[in-house]
Amino acid sequence: MLDNTDIRILEELSKNSRITMKELGKKVHLTGPAASARVMKLEDSGVIEGYTIKVNPVKLGYFVHAFITVITQSTYHQPYLLFLETQKQYVINNYKISGDGCYLLECKFPSNEEMNQFLEELNEQANYKLSIVIKK
Amino acid sequence: MLDNTDIRILEELSKNSRITMKELGKKVHLTGPAASARVMKLEDSGVIEGYTIKVNPVKLGYFVHAFITVITQSTYHQPYLLFLETQKQYVINNYKISGDGCYLLECKFPSNEEMNQFLEELNEQANYKLSIVIKK
DNA sequence: TTCATTCCTTTCATTAATAAAGTAAAAAGG
DNA sequence: CCTTTTTACTTTATTAATGAAAGGAATGAA
């Protein structure tokens, strides 16, 4: 399915997705059109799901990065999920997990105050355990 | 520092970082060169840290996505961190956290067998609690 | 008021993307 | 075994985007 050249293309695009097809081709020993065709195939087959940027959260004013293990009070998760919909600005990822808890919720907050506000509202829907990221 | 146009540029690039500057300009009501200049400023100021792709892990053969809460046995973390260096192919992120445990380790595995192998080796350096992602 | 700065547009030269045609090698089928 | 098809690539030519330069309008400082 994927040969070595495809893997190298994925590596290069992971490092810099705005690279020109000509440059990408040079890196993997192909011409521009050939690299472009490979990339298009990777898109069509769903290996490449999209092109995005890495943003510095601190520069955007998000200083707190937290993982919250969520244990919903009832087996009915809808209230929790609806609550999350209203708090999208804080949510990075919400993983449904097996293990300790029902969800692992990854969030970013501008301050501890806003996080506290969020947690108090969350607590109406679910219990939680909080882990703050110190360093990545 | 960042005005509304900058925010919209970041949103557009998050959705598709390979968009042309001309197209990006159209979306935020600027000309190509103006959009390009804005983006360059965002890069120089460190708001945009890089351009990357979203890859489908399943299509790459990684079927298991796990979060592992790591509790190192000694206060000396080096053995654990050195172990991770040897297991880079599985590691997505390693967050140093305050809260429950010392680290939150995000990993991907091709199979439960390989994860089990990993966990057995990890267990020589640290205790852990495992959470498997069912759904994102 | 005057000067400098910022942020933009317009224009144009350079460069890249894309479509089309052609080639060579591998795979499929009679 | 030979023919046909398919795949993956290159080359060429057209189209489109980038990036540099010049200039204008609005803002703010001296």
Side-chain angles (χ1 to χ4, degrees):
Chain A
M1 187 84 205
L2 295 183
D3 66 11
N4 208 265
T5 303
D6 289 322
I7 301 297
R8 287 175 62 198
I9 285 174
L10 292 176
E11 284 170 2
E12 288 301 330
L13 288 176
S14 293
K15 279 193 278 181
N16 175 18
S17 66
R18 274 195 76 84
I19 192 174
T20 64
M21 287 300 115
K22 199 181 173 183
E23 268 296 310
L24 178 61
K26 205 183 286 177
K27 298 224 182 213
V28 301
H29 306 300
L30 287 174
T31 58
S36 180
R38 287 260 190 170
V39 168
M40 218 138 77
K41 262 186 133 180
L42 289 168
E43 290 171 8
D44 292 343
S45 66
V47 175
I48 295 176
E49 292 181 330
Y51 300 90
T52 188
I53 52 174
K54 276 180 281 188
V55 172
N56 186 320
V58 171
K59 302 246 175 186
L60 275 183
Y62 290 98
F63 300 100
V64 187
H65 184 193
F67 282 90
I68 306 166
T69 304
V70 174
I71 306 107
T72 55
Q73 283 157 351
S74 81
T75 54
Y76 183 55
H77 295 178
Q78 213 57 33
Y80 162 71
L81 295 171
L82 285 172
F83 165 71
L84 279 195
E85 281 298 309
T86 69
Q87 306 284 315
K88 274 188 176 172
Q89 72 267 34
Y90 301 131
V91 175
I92 301 169
N93 282 121
N94 183 43
Y95 300 103
K96 187 169 202 170
I97 54 170
S98 82
D100 211 21
C102 304
Y103 295 94
L104 184 63
L105 180 60
E106 184 179 3
C107 289
K108 58 187 200 299
F109 299 100
S111 65
N112 284 330
E113 287 67 36
E114 282 201 43
M115 180 172 63
N116 184 52
Q117 175 70 27
F118 175 89
L119 290 175
E120 283 183 10
E121 292 177 38
L122 170 63
N123 204 216
E124 291 170 19
Q125 313 300 336
N127 292 316
Y128 64 84
K129 264 192 326 201
L130 179 64
S131 296
I132 303 281
V133 173
I134 297 166
K135 197 177 153 200
K136 191 167 176 170
Chain B
M1 186 85 205
L2 294 184
D3 66 10
N4 207 266
T5 303
D6 289 321
I7 301 296
R8 287 174 63 199
I9 285 174
L10 292 176
E11 284 170 1
E12 288 301 329
L13 289 177
S14 293
K15 280 193 277 180
N16 175 18
S17 65
R18 275 195 74 85
I19 192 173
T20 65
M21 288 301 114
K22 198 180 174 184
E23 268 295 310
L24 177 61
K26 205 181 288 176
K27 298 225 181 210
V28 302
H29 306 300
L30 287 175
T31 58
S36 179
R38 287 260 189 170
V39 169
M40 218 138 77
K41 262 185 134 179
L42 290 168
E43 290 170 9
D44 292 343
S45 66
V47 176
I48 294 177
E49 292 181 331
Y51 300 90
T52 188
I53 51 173
K54 277 180 279 187
V55 173
N56 185 320
V58 172
K59 302 246 174 186
L60 275 183
Y62 290 98
F63 300 100
V64 186
H65 184 192
F67 282 91
I68 305 166
T69 304
V70 174
I71 307 106
T72 55
Q73 283 158 352
S74 81
T75 54
Y76 183 56
H77 295 177
Q78 214 57 33
Y80 163 70
L81 294 171
L82 286 172
F83 166 70
L84 278 196
E85 281 298 312
T86 68
Q87 306 283 316
K88 273 187 175 172
Q89 73 268 32
Y90 302 131
V91 175
I92 301 170
N93 282 121
N94 182 43
Y95 300 103
K96 188 170 201 168
I97 55 169
S98 81
D100 211 21
C102 305
Y103 295 94
L104 184 63
L105 180 60
E106 184 179 3
C107 289
K108 59 187 197 302
F109 299 101
S111 65
N112 284 330
E113 286 68 36
E114 282 200 42
M115 179 173 65
N116 184 51
Q117 175 69 26
F118 175 89
L119 291 175
E120 283 183 9
E121 291 178 38
L122 170 63
N123 204 217
E124 291 170 19
Q125 314 299 337
N127 291 316
Y128 65 83
K129 265 193 325 202
L130 179 66
S131 296
I132 303 281
V133 174
I134 296 165
K135 199 177 152 200
K136 191 166 177 170

